[in-house]
Amino acid sequence: MRIVKSAEERKNEILDAADELFALKGFDGTSTNDILEKVGIARGTLYHHFKSKEDIMDALIERYSARLLGAAQNMAADKSIPVVERMIRVVMALNISGGSSKEIMEHIHKPQNALMHQKIQRVIIHGVPPILTEIIREGIEQGMFSTPYPYECMEMVVIYANSVFDGDMVALTEEERLSRMQALICNVERLLGAESGSLRGVLKMFGMNHEE
């Protein structure tokens, strides 16, 4: 008896297979035939759900993005956590310097998946500043920060962090990484109008030691 699967179930099967193959062979190294064989479906079934391999990649990016931004939003919404700690947890959840989605980002950072990496970066640059902005507004209400540009400040921070702390973009030694992190924190304090030294404890959250 032939098993009839729902459109959503079949679509996810195709995405799971493509995800596995892209991780193994890269996007360019994976053919639509590879995906067809892995799922065990006809070409017509594949094209019913996705017009091309690029469409499959875009759907995967959407799935990754939902996970990454979902984790960030959950962190941002937890008001039991202090503002500064929440701000850093959001950054860490996005794996700009570590975090819960490490396996996803390792997959995307493979050289053969450069296009996926580029698309995820675009999602982060557009999706993360609004999440962080809400936290900064809370900090402004609490008298911790003073800036007329909360969104623009967070956009600057996300773009800088997403580029400089991305091993594919800039190769840093541990010493250089620590120096960049210290400089970033110093400048974020200025951007946000925060008290000097108030964000210094952030380095401990990233597992880095710093001079008092």
Side-chain angles (χ1 to χ4, degrees), residues 42-58:
R43 189 170 293 275
T45 306
L46 177 70
Y47 288 138
H48 174 72
H49 297 285
F50 301 101
K51 291 176 187 172
S52 63
K53 195 172 67 164
E54 286 72 18
D55 262 8
I56 295 174
M57 181 177 67
D58 287 340

Side-chain angles (χ1 to χ4, degrees), residues 86-116:
R86 227 183 316 153
M87 183 171 72
I88 303 311
R89 284 192 185 193
V90 167
V91 174
M92 291 176 81
L94 292 158
N95 201 51
I96 289 169
S97 184
S100 61
S101 301
K102 192 175 179 184
E103 68 288 348
I104 294 173
M105 298 311 281
E106 278 178 359
H107 170 37
I108 291 162
H109 277 74
K110 288 178 180 175
Q112 64 266 36
N113 291 323
L115 188 57
M116 290 179 79

Side-chain angles (χ1 to χ4, degrees), residues 61-77:
I61 295 295
E62 205 175 303
R63 195 157 80 167
Y64 287 144
S65 303
R67 282 189 219 169
L68 289 167
L69 295 180
Q73 281 163 340
N74 288 341
M75 294 288 182

Side-chain angles (χ1 to χ4, degrees), residues 95-97 109 117 121-122 124-125 155-172 177 180 184:
N95 201 51
I96 289 169
S97 184
H109 277 74
H117 182 195
Q121 281 190 314
R122 194 173 295 132
I124 287 171
I125 288 166
E155 186 178 57
M156 289 177 199
V157 169
V158 168
I159 289 172
Y160 177 83
N162 196 42
S163 302
V164 173
F165 299 115
D166 182 326
D168 289 354
M169 303 279 281
V170 182
L172 296 174
R177 187 181 177 80
R180 298 291 199 287
L184 175 61

